[in-house]
Structure formats: C-alpha cells, structure tokens
Amino acid sequence: MQTLTGKQVRFLRGLGHHLQPVVMIGREELSERLLASVEVALEDHELIKVKLQEGCSTDRREIASQLAEKTRSQVAQVLGRTILLYRPATDPQIKLP
C-alpha cells in the first residue's frame, strides 16, 4: 500500500472530522476481538475513528502504528485520544485527490 501524501491526509482529516468513533480501545488494548472489529469497520467504512479510553495505558501513537500495521491501514491523524484510520475498500467509495 502506498503512503498517503500531505494533500490526501488533509482530505481524509476533513472527511473524518464529523465521524463518530466506531471502535473503543480500553484496558485490553489490541486484542484479537478488537482487531477483528476494526477490520470489519474498515471494510464497511474505509475511514474510521478509534477512541482510546482511560484504561488504555500504551502511548497513543504507538497504539496507532500497531493498529495500522496489523490491519494493513494507514493513520490519517492522531488527535488527543482519537485515531483516524484509512484503508481503501475493494470497491473504494472515497476518491483521494
């Protein structure tokens, strides 16, 4: 998968601004069940928000990179305790600039 350009990242951030988090990461952090739900969400939506809850003790940027690596997605943004992930679907709905 090619890396996102600055223009594409800005475009995805704009699209992701109004999204609600669809996956919450808590004390269990990156469990198999959590990774499966992220996979399903990415397949359905392409662009998702993941929220880190108080119980998550690992660094947010570390969690974001691990999550992206394990789900073959890309981190579009890490803002506060929210991560924006992007992975094009087999039939992409989002057309990147």
Side-chain angles (χ1 to χ4, degrees), residues 51-88:
K51 183 79 170 172
L52 299 176
Q53 295 180 320
E54 294 301 316
C56 183
S57 59
T58 307
D59 178 62
R60 60 198 171 111
R61 295 194 186 282
E62 179 64 30
I63 289 275
S65 67
Q66 287 178 15
L67 201 52
E69 182 183 320
K70 292 182 181 190
T71 59
R72 300 173 326 282
S73 61
Q74 295 185 44
V75 178
Q77 184 178 36
V78 177
L79 184 64
R81 299 183 71 78
T82 305
I83 300 167
L84 189 63
L85 288 178
Y86 170 74
R87 183 178 74 195

